[in-house]
Amino acid sequence: MTRFALNQATTKHWPLPELAAGCAEAGVSFAGLWREDIQAYGVAEAAGLMRDHGLTVTTLCRSGFFQEAGWLDENRRAIDEAAGVGAPVLVLVSGGLPPGSRDIDAARAHVGDAIGELVPHARAAGVRLAIEPLHPMYASDRCVVSTLKQALDLAAPHPAEAVGVCLDTYHLWWDDDVWAQIARAGREDRIACFQVADWLTPLPAGVLVGRGLPGTGCVELRRFREAVDATGYAGPIEVEVFNEEVWARPGKEILHEAIAGVRDHVL
Amino acid sequence: MTRFALNQATTKHWPLPELAAGCAEAGVSFAGLWREDIQAYGVAEAAGLMRDHGLTVTTLCRSGFFQEAGWLDENRRAIDEAAGVGAPVLVLVSGGLPPGSRDIDAARAHVGDAIGELVPHARAAGVRLAIEPLHPMYASDRCVVSTLKQALDLAAPHPAEAVGVCLDTYHLWWDDDVWAQIARAGREDRIACFQVADWLTPLPAGVLVGRGLPGTGCVELRRFREAVDATGYAGPIEVEVFNEEVWARPGKEILHEAIAGVRDHVL
């Protein structure tokens, strides 16, 4: 279980100090953090809290949203926050179509341009950008990058140490091309993070908060982990679940279920 | 507007005789029907009703659901109903994962086997099977066929006159490979029907009834129609929208909005 990472979103209502103490108590040494939370707590303070509990920050979630006004400054701030909190990876969710637009090709091209503009700042800060493909059900309003192939194509022009991809089982499980693309991601040294969540139906309204803890849904999680490991990746396995019913429970209880889910269904 | 087709699901609460009269009055000559409705009305009676109003039946929706017990008999019945109502095309929605299964590859392979078993009956009945890829958000519970490429690969072993595909903009719009696959579908003579619906967000709970009438969402509908036409397809353009708010309005009003939507956003 040394590879287990808790993404903070999984225990949404757990205050950061309790999360840090709870992870330390459970023997967890990796945590992925969210911008809103470290902004509220203080970036330097969050870095200190993690350090004091022997926790390594895996990822900072998230920036991107390149269709929004002010995206360049906002993403630079996010890079600085990632560096400040000690996250080696900043996860990028591209954003959807601009208001009123139907031109998804143009939106996808803009994502490529935007990442190109961010790379120098990210390299200077020592932060790797991770392009995250989201499930196609988010293509219009949240992320026009819908497949791992698209994410890898967007990363391709840039050095691998500057731009990678974030693999999340929830978003990729339906894609029969994903196994070939995971192998490609390994060959091209692009795997910046590996997140696991399970797929549940029926989907809730808005489709944002219907993910399942590992083992509660229909995703072949172990097959994903084996495919990712087969590329040589040996980094954290990060549980990132958005689910109202999960969030209603105590953070410690969620953490233990997430650990058990990874042990029984991913490893 | 000679190519306009009304799929009955768009005007869910419009009784079949009123739909037939309303289409005739509006100068519409194509309609796609649903099994539940023609079963309730009587298959032969529905065929007569369509004929009496100068309507040609384009498609019968729908069968498939190959993960369910009794799928073979049920699909044979559906083929007979299509023949009985004069529909040249029976739309197949494959179904999702079997209960408790996580093996999507096996489920997809089973769809191929099932279609193979149906082809002789379909050919004897003079009904073309149309494999419909559904949006990946339905992959677990409704349709493991998620892309046009998968549908065409499943159709490939069979004669084109026996097995085609159903192209629906709602399900395919996010896919950057769809343009190449539409061209392939044309080359391989597989386009059995062309349905249009628009993509709206936020998605409703269950994600079934959130489609928009043409022009109300973000899909490049005209680009789809041009791509389909470029293959040589000159058949019906069928509006199939599932939407609670649309359904709450009078059938005649919905029909006129659908016609206007096709005129202004598809043609």
Side-chain angles (χ1 to χ4, degrees):
Chain A
M1 290 304 299
T2 54
R3 294 172 68 188
F4 179 89
L6 176 68
N7 185 287
Q8 183 174 17
T10 307
T11 53
K12 187 181 171 74
H13 304 305
W14 214 11
L16 198 57
E18 293 181 35
L19 181 153
C23 282
E25 188 190 331
V28 170
S29 52
F30 292 117
L33 301 179
W34 278 67
R35 292 185 65 201
E36 299 84 322
D37 297 287
I38 65 165
Q39 284 167 0
Y41 192 80
V43 175
E45 291 77 5
L49 182 69
M50 295 292 114
R51 209 166 33 236
D52 292 346
H53 289 83
L55 282 164
T56 298
V57 180
T58 50
T59 55
L60 183 65
C61 298
R62 70 188 193 279
S63 198
F65 293 93
F66 301 119
Q67 89 287 6
E68 290 180 2
W71 64 265
L72 183 55
D73 287 344
E74 187 61 26
N75 276 278
R76 284 182 175 149
R77 262 193 298 277
I79 290 167
D80 295 340
E81 288 167 8
V85 81
V89 169
L90 173 66
V91 176
L92 298 180
V93 170
S94 75
L97 294 168
S101 170
R102 294 186 173 99
D103 193 344
I104 195 166
D105 286 356
R108 285 170 173 158
H110 172 62
V111 173
D113 295 342
I115 289 166
E117 288 206 54
L118 290 175
V119 163
H121 193 79
R123 298 189 79 172
V127 171
R128 192 181 194 192
L129 305 174
I131 306 169
E132 181 170 20
L134 257 54
H135 193 285
M137 68 187 175
Y138 303 112
S140 72
D141 60 351
R142 189 158 290 267
C143 188
V144 292
V145 182
S146 305
T147 63
L148 183 52
K149 178 178 188 303
Q150 288 175 332
L152 289 168
D153 289 349
L154 285 163
H158 307 289
E161 70 273 18
V163 182
V165 296
C166 175
L167 306 186
D168 185 321
T169 59
Y170 188 77
H171 299 301
L172 303 174
W173 75 277
W174 59 272
D175 182 2
D176 59 1
D177 186 38
V178 76
W179 314 110
Q181 297 298 328
I182 289 173
R184 172 188 168 197
R187 282 195 308 277
E188 299 177 359
D189 197 17
R190 298 287 179 182
I191 303 179
C193 58
F194 175 43
Q195 295 182 330
V196 292
D198 221 328
W199 181 267
L200 301 177
T201 54
L203 292 160
V207 301
L208 258 185
V209 292
R211 306 186 193 183
L213 287 168
T216 61
C218 67
V219 178
E220 294 175 288
L221 297 174
R222 185 166 287 117
R223 184 179 181 190
F224 267 93
R225 197 266 307 154
E226 288 172 351
V228 169
D229 283 1
T231 70
Y233 177 86
I237 299 168
E238 185 163 320
V239 174
E240 188 194 49
V241 170
F242 306 164
N243 185 303
E244 295 279 6
E245 285 169 35
V246 169
W247 289 339
R249 303 213 297 270
K252 191 169 174 176
E253 185 181 315
I254 303 169
L255 174 62
H256 285 277
E257 283 189 43
I259 291 171
V262 168
R263 182 190 63 215
D264 296 340
H265 297 277
V266 182
L267 292 177
Chain B
M1 291 303 297
T2 56
R3 294 172 65 189
F4 179 89
L6 177 68
N7 185 287
Q8 185 175 13
T10 307
T11 54
K12 186 181 173 74
H13 305 305
W14 215 10
L16 198 57
E18 293 180 36
L19 179 153
C23 282
E25 190 190 331
V28 169
S29 51
F30 293 117
L33 301 180
W34 279 67
R35 293 185 64 202
E36 299 84 323
D37 297 288
I38 65 165
Q39 284 167 359
Y41 192 79
V43 175
E45 292 76 5
L49 183 70
M50 295 291 115
R51 212 166 33 235
D52 293 346
H53 288 84
L55 282 164
T56 299
V57 180
T58 50
T59 54
L60 183 65
C61 298
R62 68 184 196 279
S63 199
F65 293 94
F66 301 119
Q67 88 287 9
E68 290 180 3
W71 65 265
L72 183 55
D73 286 346
E74 187 61 25
N75 276 277
R76 284 181 175 148
R77 262 194 297 279
I79 289 167
D80 295 341
E81 288 167 8
V85 81
V89 169
L90 174 66
V91 175
L92 299 181
V93 169
S94 75
L97 294 167
S101 170
R102 294 186 173 100
D103 193 343
I104 196 166
D105 285 357
R108 285 170 172 157
H110 172 62
V111 173
D113 295 341
I115 289 167
E117 287 206 55
L118 289 175
V119 162
H121 193 80
R123 297 189 80 174
V127 171
R128 191 181 195 191
L129 304 174
I131 305 168
E132 182 171 17
L134 256 54
H135 193 285
M137 69 187 174
Y138 303 114
S140 71
D141 60 351
R142 189 159 289 267
C143 188
V144 291
V145 182
S146 305
T147 63
L148 184 51
K149 179 178 187 302
Q150 288 176 331
L152 289 168
D153 290 349
L154 285 163
H158 308 289
E161 70 273 18
V163 183
V165 296
C166 176
L167 306 185
D168 186 321
T169 59
Y170 188 77
H171 298 302
L172 303 175
W173 75 276
W174 60 272
D175 182 3
D176 58 1
D177 186 38
V178 75
W179 313 109
Q181 296 298 328
I182 289 173
R184 172 188 168 197
R187 282 196 309 277
E188 299 177 1
D189 197 19
R190 299 284 179 184
I191 304 179
C193 58
F194 175 43
Q195 296 182 330
V196 292
D198 223 327
W199 181 269
L200 301 177
T201 53
L203 292 161
V207 302
L208 258 186
V209 292
R211 306 187 194 186
L213 287 167
T216 61
C218 67
V219 179
E220 294 176 288
L221 297 174
R222 185 166 287 116
R223 184 178 181 191
F224 267 93
R225 197 267 306 156
E226 288 172 350
V228 169
D229 283 3
T231 70
Y233 177 86
I237 299 167
E238 186 164 319
V239 174
E240 188 194 48
V241 170
F242 307 164
N243 184 303
E244 295 278 5
E245 285 170 33
V246 169
W247 288 339
R249 305 213 296 271
K252 191 170 174 175
E253 187 181 313
I254 303 169
L255 173 62
H256 284 278
E257 284 188 43
I259 291 170
V262 168
R263 182 190 65 216
D264 297 341
H265 297 277
V266 182
L267 293 176

